[in-house]
Amino acid sequence: MDQEKGCITETVRRRMWGRLVLAWVLGLAFSLPFDADAGSLDLARTAYAEGRFIEAAGIAEGLGTAAGFMLAARSLQVHGHFIAGTDEVDRYLGQAIDLATEAVRADPKNAEAHVQLATAIGRHAEAVGSFEASNRDYGTRIREAAEKALALDPEMAEAHLAMGRWHAGVIDALGSFVAGMLYDASEDAALEHFERALELRPDSKTIMLECATGLLVLDDGSEHARNLLVRGIGMDSRDAAEALRHAEAIERFEALGWTPDP
């Protein structure tokens, strides 16, 4: 009888211990941090890819992280440049600059954050015109952001693209002589950065089309730009933003009187 009682007691003890272990495991599982930010960032990326740029910006900005601010800035840049009405462009691109600035503050050693800042200012400069851009010292701000990105990541294609677009933009606004005298901007430097961007990302439709646009700023009859446009237009668009760039590239191609190769 005592032996039987002992067996029962041991069984109860094991069950109780098992329940305590299970409770501890479950408690540990529920106490582990759930990365809600990662899920929200994925939602924002999906919205961006599908062309819901305002929604993507709202979700991403709400995260309050460098990654969120960068995606929000990129989303509003695309919306402001390609979609927004004339009376909305200034607001959306201004917000993009603010968000990119927040990304730099949140993670100053992130090269992409500086690229987003350079790109956002560059887009706004295009929208407000060279006179207003000069008053806001946009040329200096773009160069500083692009140079910082390159210092942090010399192998970042987007940083080389931003630097190339800066050289081309300053030359377009001031002429090669004044651009060189005041800002040390040069066509050779622009071409070098464009070529480096293409070397680093030869499979990127965006890089190809943006480099072509930059080359056309320097020479609207550039055969190299024409070839890049043909190649870029022939590539599939990976998301809504690239589809918008695709349509813009076709318009530019046709506006220059070029016809596709047979």
Side-chain angles (χ1 to χ4, degrees):
M1 186 68 176
D2 290 341
Q3 183 178 359
E4 184 178 347
K5 183 178 179 180
C7 290
I8 293 173
T9 301
E10 181 62 25
T11 300
V12 171
R13 185 181 295 111
R14 287 178 179 176
R15 287 177 179 172
M16 289 179 66
W17 175 246
R19 288 172 183 171
L20 286 170
V21 171
L22 179 60
W24 179 80
V25 170
L26 289 174
L28 176 63
F30 283 111
S31 68
L32 290 174
F34 173 69
D35 193 356
D37 285 358
S40 296
L41 190 59
D42 286 340
L43 289 175
R45 286 170 176 158
T46 298
Y48 177 90
E50 294 176 354
R52 293 177 280 117
F53 301 113
I54 301 299
E55 180 182 344
I59 296 171
E61 181 184 2
L63 298 174
T65 63
F69 290 134
M70 284 187 284
L71 180 53
R74 188 187 322 137
S75 299
L76 292 186
Q77 285 175 46
V78 175
H79 183 85
H81 179 69
F82 291 104
I83 299 174
T86 305
D87 59 335
E88 297 178 313
V89 172
D90 184 73
R91 174 164 63 93
Y92 284 120
L93 295 180
Q95 289 175 355
I97 293 173
D98 292 341
L99 288 164
T101 301
E102 287 300 317
V104 170
R105 286 181 184 145
D107 190 358
K109 293 186 178 180
N110 190 309
E112 184 186 347
H114 293 278
V115 166
Q116 289 302 325
L117 180 57
T119 306
I121 298 173
R123 287 299 191 197
H124 200 217
E126 292 173 3
V128 301
S130 58
F131 181 77
E132 183 60 28
S134 178
N135 285 340
R136 301 187 186 196
D137 200 23
Y138 275 179
T140 300
R141 293 178 63 189
I142 294 169
R143 178 169 192 164
E144 288 176 349
E147 286 181 336
K148 184 63 176 179
L150 281 174
L152 290 166
D153 187 355
E155 302 299 296
M156 187 178 190
E158 292 78 5
H160 283 283
L161 173 62
M163 199 72 251
R165 290 296 298 267
W166 177 84
H167 281 278
V170 173
I171 291 171
D172 183 51
L174 301 176
S176 58
F177 179 75
V178 177
M181 287 285 292
L182 296 181
Y183 293 100
D184 196 28
S186 72
E187 183 173 337
D188 287 345
L191 296 176
E192 288 175 7
H193 284 293
F194 288 144
E195 289 307 311
R196 187 59 181 144
L198 290 166
E199 288 173 3
L200 291 167
R201 294 285 303 281
D203 59 341
S204 171
K205 181 184 182 83
T206 294
I207 294 291
M208 201 168 292
L209 295 180
E210 291 291 340
C211 282
T213 301
L215 289 170
L216 289 172
V217 169
L218 297 170
D219 176 8
D220 60 9
S222 169
E223 188 66 19
H224 186 24
R226 181 188 182 281
N227 293 336
L228 288 175
L229 284 175
V230 170
R231 288 167 55 196
I233 291 170
M235 298 171 69
D236 292 334
S237 298
R238 297 172 298 178
D239 55 32
E242 283 200 340
L244 290 168
R245 288 189 175 90
H246 178 94
E248 183 183 60
I250 291 176
E251 289 182 7
R252 176 65 64 86
F253 194 86
E254 293 175 345
L256 290 168
W258 289 335
T259 55
D261 293 330

